Amino acid sequence: MGFHPYTQEGYFQAWNYSFTDDQTWIFATFIVSNLGPGTKNCGVSLVVFDKQNGTQFSTREYSKDELKAESGNLELEIYDSSVYKGEGGPEIKMVTDTAELVISYKTSWSKAVSLSGGKIHLPEKDAFVQADMAFSSVPAKGYLVLNGNRMELNGRGGMEHLLTNYEVYKYSRRWELYRSINSAGERLFAGGFIGNENFPEEEIRTVSALDPSGKMIFSAKVLKSEVLESETEPFSGYLLPIKEKFYLDESGSCSLTVSRRHTVGQIYVLSNISAVLRFFVRLFFTKPYQLYYITDSKLDCAQVPEGSLPKDKNFRGIFSYYLINP
């Protein structure tokens, strides 16, 4: 999950740090890519949702000269935003035009969950994509200064990582990520992408669960999915599942049913970036949106394909849609 630069035009790498408490949801993303105009190859993106004010979104774009990172290292600086290894775990600082965010996470980077099962090789020669979750629902503290108002943060958070050396719009319609927790403190994750006609397989999804100490309980590929209820989502105009079933074995006797409830953030990406970068993004993404939902799920299995069942089969968490092309 460290910094791994590639020379291909479609190279894109992102680290998404999240935070939540009873009132606030925060998603802070550090990005490095070859998709920006000229030398603008890195930046930060901050999404803040609270129940009173809704969603606020801000970004900053920077040149390669303002990026400090070593290959293989998780620590990095993008101008005045940074990721460092603190005494108790990762510490992030993000500065945008309207906000300053500082969060310390109490965890290590050593217990990652692979959502993609390593590199997924794409039809193009030597092209791949890889997605991992470094940690989720760990203690997190810090502060947020938004529009001049300071807010103390004391809740839980996580980090996910995406790396690809090929343009995502050429093979996928949308990316998904679900991170959740049950009453026993066990965590369940589901993630992957829905492919388009250029991808040999329709979708790549994985479901994994960890015990409270971070030890893997089970991990399984989604062999088939079934949309039980759907809608044309009003904000984005995409047709999306409201309720969906993921089958984890050949017989169909083990499944995860995911039901999204209410939104905790929605962004039309093109309305929140500079005019210069907007032109380039439109070359790659027809309708780029980010949607975040509180989501419930239930595991319905007598036995998982490999590993053991969680103590409580009911989970609740945040489901993120990264919409690329209809």
Side-chain angles (χ1 to χ4, degrees), residues 41-280:
N41 76 331
C42 59
V44 295
S45 166
L46 180 63
V47 181
V48 179
F49 174 87
D50 69 75
K51 294 179 179 179
Q52 290 185 338
N53 302 306
T55 302
Q56 298 183 64
F57 178 55
S58 58
T59 64
R60 269 191 176 180
E61 306 151 33
Y62 295 103
S63 76
K64 61 183 180 182
D65 297 329
E66 292 156 318
L67 171 67
K68 295 180 181 179
E70 296 181 2
S71 182
N73 197 333
L74 278 157
E75 296 182 293
L76 59 87
E77 292 182 16
I78 301 178
Y79 192 58
D80 51 2
S81 297
S82 60
V83 178
Y84 281 113
K85 294 180 181 178
E87 291 184 6
E91 295 184 0
I92 70 167
K93 177 184 179 182
M94 184 172 289
V95 180
T96 70
D97 292 337
T98 59
E100 178 184 352
L101 173 71
V102 174
I103 300 179
S104 299
Y105 297 90
K106 192 175 181 180
T107 186
S108 70
W109 274 305
S110 62
K111 297 180 179 179
V113 174
S114 177
L115 298 173
S116 59
K119 292 181 179 179
I120 298 173
H121 293 283
L122 303 169
E124 190 78 9
K125 183 181 178 182
D126 298 326
F128 73 89
V129 63
Q130 181 173 339
D132 301 287
M133 182 172 293
F135 53 87
S136 180
S137 195
V138 303
K141 288 185 177 182
Y143 66 86
L144 170 68
V145 179
L146 185 62
N147 298 320
N149 299 314
R150 180 175 172 124
M151 178 192 312
E152 299 301 321
L153 303 175
N154 189 358
R156 306 189 75 81
M159 189 272 267
E160 305 93 34
H161 172 250
L162 173 66
L163 171 63
T164 179
N165 67 343
Y166 191 65
E167 297 95 328
V168 293
Y169 78 99
K170 290 185 177 180
Y171 62 84
S172 58
R173 298 186 187 278
R174 72 175 187 262
W175 285 80
E176 301 176 348
L177 179 60
Y178 175 52
R179 51 282 223 212
S180 62
I181 192 168
N182 65 9
S183 63
E186 297 163 318
R187 283 161 271 179
L188 182 139
F189 312 113
F193 68 90
I194 310 301
N196 60 20
E197 62 277 1
N198 296 321
F199 189 68
E201 301 178 54
E202 291 183 4
E203 60 187 54
I204 295 288
R205 283 165 160 164
T206 302
V207 176
S208 303
L210 304 179
D211 69 13
S213 70
K215 181 180 178 181
M216 183 77 71
I217 300 174
F218 78 86
S219 183
K221 292 292 184 183
V222 175
L223 302 181
K224 185 180 71 170
S225 63
E226 179 184 5
V227 176
L228 304 178
E229 186 179 351
S230 64
E231 69 167 355
T232 299
E233 199 279 319
F235 181 72
S236 66
Y238 277 72
L239 180 65
L240 297 177
I242 296 175
K243 189 174 184 179
E244 192 170 12
K245 197 170 187 178
F246 300 154
Y247 293 93
L248 307 181
D249 65 1
E250 294 287 355
S251 66
S253 62
C254 182
S255 64
L256 177 72
T257 300
V258 177
S259 304
R260 61 178 171 89
R261 301 304 181 194
H262 58 86
T263 182
V264 290
Q266 50 189 21
I267 305 146
Y268 179 44
V269 175
L270 293 183
S271 67
N272 291 277
I273 58 178
S274 73
V276 175
L277 189 54
R278 187 179 304 126
F279 170 78
F280 284 87

Side-chain angles (χ1 to χ4, degrees), residues 17-38:
Y17 290 85
S18 60
F19 170 88
T20 184
D21 58 20
D22 293 338
Q23 300 292 324
T24 309
W25 289 264
I26 298 172
F27 304 93
T29 305
F30 297 79
I31 300 169
V32 182
S33 80
N34 289 340
L35 297 177

